[in-house]
Amino acid sequence: MFFFSVTFNDCKGNDKLRFDVSNPYFKVKPDGALVALKNISDVGPALFIHGRSSNAEDMAEVVIIGGQDSHGSLKEIFTFARTSAVPRQKRSIVVSPILIPENQRQPFPRDVGKVVDNDRPEGSKFRLTGKGVDQEPKGIFRINENTGSISVMRTLDREIMATYQLFVETIDVTGKTIEGPVSLDIIVIDQNDNRPIFKEGPYVGHVMEGSPTGTTVMRMTAFDADDPSTDNALLRYNILQQTPDKPSPNMFYIDPEKGDIVTVVSPALLDRETLENPKYELIIEAQDMAGLDVGLTGTATATILIDDKNDHSPKFTKKEFHATVNEGVVGVIVNLTVEDKDDPTTAAWRAVYTIINGNPGQSFEIHTNPQTNEGMLSVVKPLDYEISAFHTLLIKVENEDPLVPDVAYGPSSTATVQITVSDVNEGPVFHPDPMTVTKRENITIGSMLLTVNATDPDSLQHQTIRYSVYKDPAGWLNINPINGTIDTAAVLDRESPFVHNNIYTALFLAIDSGDPPATGTGTLQIRLEDVNDNAPLIYPTLAKVCDDAKDLNVVILGALDKDLHPNTDPFKFELNKQTGSDKFWKISKINDTHAQVSLLQNLKKANYNLPVMVTDSGKPPLSNTTELRVQVCSCKKSKMDCSSAGIPHIRTTLVLLLSLFSLVWL
């Protein structure tokens, strides 16, 4: 929509003449015509037009008469004036916004506007305040206090500060405000002094192979620090270079306004397996001034990766594989190789193997080697040549990812594995193992325990077996090397340290006649039944008592027996008769395992040896006589003196402690 024409003359031909408008919705054409870029109903009270050439610059204000109260067309409500001659409100100080281009060159200071006060009292002055004057950044603007002329002191940068709001007032000689403050806006006019910048790199996009034409890959956006309401920041995008340029130099297109990169080739050309390189690098250019040649540019690299989809099934390199394995051995026996044209870094390439036939006993397993994608076929349960010398497995291979709908697994995705089992000389096997037998201890030497039985798994080789002793910790046993009969070479003793929980364990070997010979090991466990072959023992064997003790109980005796019940307690305690001494001592039963030794009267300080006989309950019973040494000591002031008997001094309380210690061992 055209309104009127602006006339500018620098008297030198208006070389490189340019107009800037304060409202972004308006534009001055090179011929001076002011036009609206869109239909606008509200434009504010005024517009400012800044004209500049290589030799001169000037600014004009376009005032809207009636402001928002006018309801006519835009053309009807505009008038043009070189100065702000139409009053907008009744006041003494008249200010208009000031437009200053950024990046102005010397000389400075430079007058950029003027404040008018027709009613200013004589002797009064103008004062200017605000950011850019007396507030940081200080010293950018100043006012002639007498004339009201506004000057800029240095070059401005719109990208640092786009507008300044200052305040003008009149003051008297004392500095007191007469009128104001009135707001003064200074607008910095943008120049195209910033290149577009791609800030968010690196830029990497992915597109699936076979994608339809027009598939969006990624978006490239640049930033321009210039005024976004002007062409200085209006960007257009372009692809400068594509590497590689096969199969087409124009594989992609970029939307010049949005920066969206899309595919432009047919899906057939976007085939990862036939591309020279599944990675493309695009040099993207962003240019301001809406892409005009005078615009500034910035570039960035966009990397586009053609992603694989599972459009190729894996195929075995051979229809049949062969493997040989020794019987009795486990582990990997053969690696199955496949080919797959898909991307080796994806699940579309990684293989999954399955045994679909020939493995009823689950003797085989197959796993994928993650580095080579080969199928590692293993024996997990030892094979037996005598049962089956050959095995045939049917194996299929698939991918981790499902195939695309139009691709299927074919005959090449299955293979046969022929496995030959080699016969080896296996060691004989004892039956049963372990072998168990129950015998009484102390049986006569040469007693037969049992005859072992070992068989050779190599039934087709007809080998002979010989036997020998492998481990016999106590040296009690013999074995006939021909028939495997085991007899005793020594007396069996249940109380031996080589017997644990009444069981004696020995190991025997069965050796076949193969070349080389093979050996099998069998275990014999002999459960020993107890006989009464251990007499009981008493404890303790030393006791002390005071010569003037009121308590004539000397000691509590206990008995121990290595045999098992019923060859142990209840025990019988007796004192052996001695001439002239038996009348001083007596022994009394406490329970099945303990008895009390007591004095019948006090004795003189001396050592006494008392024979005590203890008998177990076995059939027949066994007895043992032990001398109990009793020291009779003098006791004074809670001290026991046994020195005359060659015994160190000891407190009388130790007699009680000794008795209690004996009870603990019950």
Side-chain angles (χ1 to χ4, degrees), residues 649-663:
H649 287 244
I650 193 166
R651 294 182 181 271
T652 56
T653 54
L654 290 179
V655 176
L656 178 59
L657 290 174
L658 185 59
S659 300
L660 292 175
F661 178 80
S662 302
L663 288 172

Side-chain angles (χ1 to χ4, degrees), residues 114-176:
K114 187 174 183 180
V115 178
V116 178
D117 188 352
N118 296 325
D119 299 329
R120 180 163 62 94
E122 187 175 349
S124 63
K125 298 181 179 180
F126 291 103
R127 179 164 63 188
L128 187 64
T129 59
K131 292 183 178 180
V133 182
D134 57 345
Q135 300 176 28
E136 294 295 340
K138 295 181 180 180
I140 297 178
F141 305 100
R142 72 180 181 186
I143 190 170
N144 186 310
E145 62 184 14
N146 295 317
T147 66
S149 293
I150 307 295
S151 301
V152 62
M153 309 304 294
R154 59 176 182 262
T155 300
L156 302 181
D157 187 345
R158 192 204 67 85
E159 285 69 49
I160 295 178
M161 186 170 289
T163 61
Y164 297 85
Q165 186 178 36
L166 307 180
F167 298 92
V168 179
E169 57 185 338
T170 56
I171 59 174
D172 59 18
V173 294
T174 66
K176 182 178 180 181

Side-chain angles (χ1 to χ4, degrees), residues 3 81 191 245 272 278 282 315 344 373 442 496 509 520 527 661:
F3 300 109
Q191 287 188 332
D245 59 359
R272 195 198 67 85
L282 308 180
K315 298 179 180 179
N373 216 30
N442 294 339
S496 168
L509 297 179
R527 180 175 296 277
F661 178 80

Side-chain angles (χ1 to χ4, degrees), residues 425-428 458 463 510-520:
N425 189 23
E426 302 172 85
D458 301 302
Q463 299 179 127
I511 307 169
D512 66 21
S513 57
D515 185 17
T519 301

